[in-house]
């Protein structure tokens, strides 16, 4: 795990243009695409080890910053199978013990690149995490295994729309209509909507026009080492 490190990409409230948090993104020189690292780990039956160690390392980096309150909330990617792993509850208690009040600033971002094997058990685990102060997001909506059942049953605090929906958003009316469905859903349920992959001013302005509350992407800020945030 020593060869792995994290970049952190800012997330903005696009109405106020204020930074509200960061997403931790795993990096490795041997794996330019982090998904390849996780795929290899899955093939070697050590996905839980990589995922949990990545989470712990990202937290350690985040909490090494003295003025971390200025950073806002931290979004951490996590696989459903990691949450369902028998060792995960003890891991969570270790996080809480080692990083004082860490759970008050953490959003666990459930990856939709993996199917949920047991929705009821996942709901039970998420209930316990919320009791401990964690927030929950569903990632990559519009791609992968995301479904209406998952979104409704897991009651996420954040819905993160896949970058595909941001691409040329100002041109494609069907994308605008699709996003409006989720925007209305979030208004009714109290969830917050974040659009990933915003790369142009035109895409950002259309996201604002649609009433999306949050956004991230290269136009707003590229992933970088955490130290560079304060340079």
């Amino acid at each position: 795990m020593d060869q792995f490190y994290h970049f952190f990409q800012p997330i903005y409230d696009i109405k106020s243009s204020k930074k509200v948090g960061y997403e931790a993104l795993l990096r490795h020189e041997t794996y330019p695409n982090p998904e390849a690292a996780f795929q290899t780990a899955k093939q070697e039956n050590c996905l839980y080890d990589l995922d949990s160690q990545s989470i712990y390392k990202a937290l350690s980096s985040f909490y090494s910053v003295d003025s971390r309150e200025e950073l806002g909330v931290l979004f951490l990617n996590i696989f459903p199978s990691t949450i369902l792993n028998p060792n995960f509850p003890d891991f969570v208690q270790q996080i809480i013990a080692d990083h004082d009040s860490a759970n008050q600033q953490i959003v666990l971002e459930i990856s939709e690149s993996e199917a949920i094997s047991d929705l009821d058990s996942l709901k039970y685990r998420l209930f316990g995490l919320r009791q401990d102060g964690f927030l929950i997001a569903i990632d990559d909506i519009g791609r992968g295994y995301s479904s209406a059942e998952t979104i409704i049953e897991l009651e996420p605090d954040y819905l993160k729309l896949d970058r595909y929906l941001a691409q040329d958003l100002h041109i494609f009316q069907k994308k605008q209509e699709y996003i409006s469905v989720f925007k209305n859903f979030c208004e009714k349920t109290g969830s917050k909507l974040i659009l990933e992959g915003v790369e142009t001013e035109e895409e950002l302005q259309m996201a604002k026009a649609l009433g999306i509350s949050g956004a991230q992407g290269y136009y707003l800020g590229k992933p970088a080492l955490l130290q560079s945030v304060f340079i």
Side-chain angles (χ1 to χ4, degrees):
M1 197 64 195
D2 291 341
Q3 295 178 324
F4 287 92
Y5 60 97
H6 290 83
F7 276 174
F8 294 80
Q9 186 173 33
I11 298 172
Y12 281 84
D13 179 322
I14 57 177
K15 293 180 181 178
S16 65
S17 298
K18 290 183 178 180
K19 210 177 292 180
V20 295
Y22 287 83
E23 178 181 352
L25 301 167
L26 188 66
R27 293 290 184 265
H28 190 288
E29 292 182 2
T30 307
Y31 298 97
N33 182 352
E35 291 184 8
F38 286 111
Q39 186 62 36
T40 299
K42 188 172 184 178
Q43 292 170 353
E44 296 178 357
N45 295 317
C46 59
L47 180 60
Y48 173 79
D49 294 331
L50 177 58
D51 204 20
S52 58
Q53 290 176 39
S54 172
I55 289 169
Y56 193 89
K57 193 162 190 174
L59 274 171
S60 297
S61 297
F62 191 75
Y63 276 81
S64 68
V65 178
D66 291 335
S67 53
R68 62 179 179 270
E69 290 78 9
E70 299 176 16
L71 300 178
V73 295
L74 176 63
F75 285 73
L76 295 170
N77 293 287
I78 188 168
F79 287 96
S81 60
T82 296
I83 298 174
L84 292 171
N85 189 285
N87 297 321
F88 187 68
D90 288 339
F91 173 69
V92 170
Q93 294 310 308
Q94 181 184 354
I95 288 175
I96 295 172
D98 292 351
H99 302 285
D100 184 39
S101 299
N103 52 323
Q104 302 302 319
Q105 287 182 274
I106 299 173
V107 181
L108 295 176
E109 191 171 317
I110 300 173
S111 172
E112 285 294 283
S113 63
E114 179 185 71
I116 296 171
S117 61
D118 187 340
L119 186 60
D120 287 339
S121 294
L122 184 61
K123 286 171 61 178
Y124 179 78
R125 285 284 174 91
L126 295 186
F127 176 80
L129 288 165
R130 287 189 168 101
Q131 293 292 103
D132 284 330
F134 293 88
L135 298 175
I136 304 299
I138 296 180
D139 192 21
D140 297 332
I141 290 175
R143 187 185 69 149
Y145 291 97
S146 60
S147 68
E149 182 181 16
T150 301
I151 294 168
I152 292 170
E153 293 293 330
L154 298 187
E155 301 181 283
D157 301 285
Y158 294 88
L159 296 180
K160 298 190 75 178
L161 298 172
D162 185 67
R163 62 181 66 250
Y164 161 76
L165 294 170
Q167 186 176 8
D168 293 328
L169 177 60
H170 56 294
I171 297 174
F172 290 99
Q173 186 174 356
K174 288 182 179 180
K175 289 185 179 183
Q176 297 168 25
E177 296 293 340
Y178 186 76
I179 288 174
S180 293
V181 172
F182 289 103
K183 182 251 186 183
N184 293 334
F185 176 82
C186 287
E187 287 181 346
K188 298 292 185 181
T189 61
S191 300
K192 295 180 180 179
L193 191 63
I194 297 174
L195 179 63
E196 297 182 298
V198 175
E199 296 188 355
T200 68
E201 174 68 20
E202 292 82 2
E203 291 167 359
L204 178 62
Q205 291 305 320
M206 180 53 67
K208 286 183 178 180
L210 291 172
I212 298 172
S213 56
Q216 72 181 98
Y218 275 33
Y219 181 74
L220 296 165
K222 294 181 179 180
L225 293 171
L226 197 57
Q227 293 87 337
S228 65
V229 170
F230 297 99
I231 295 176

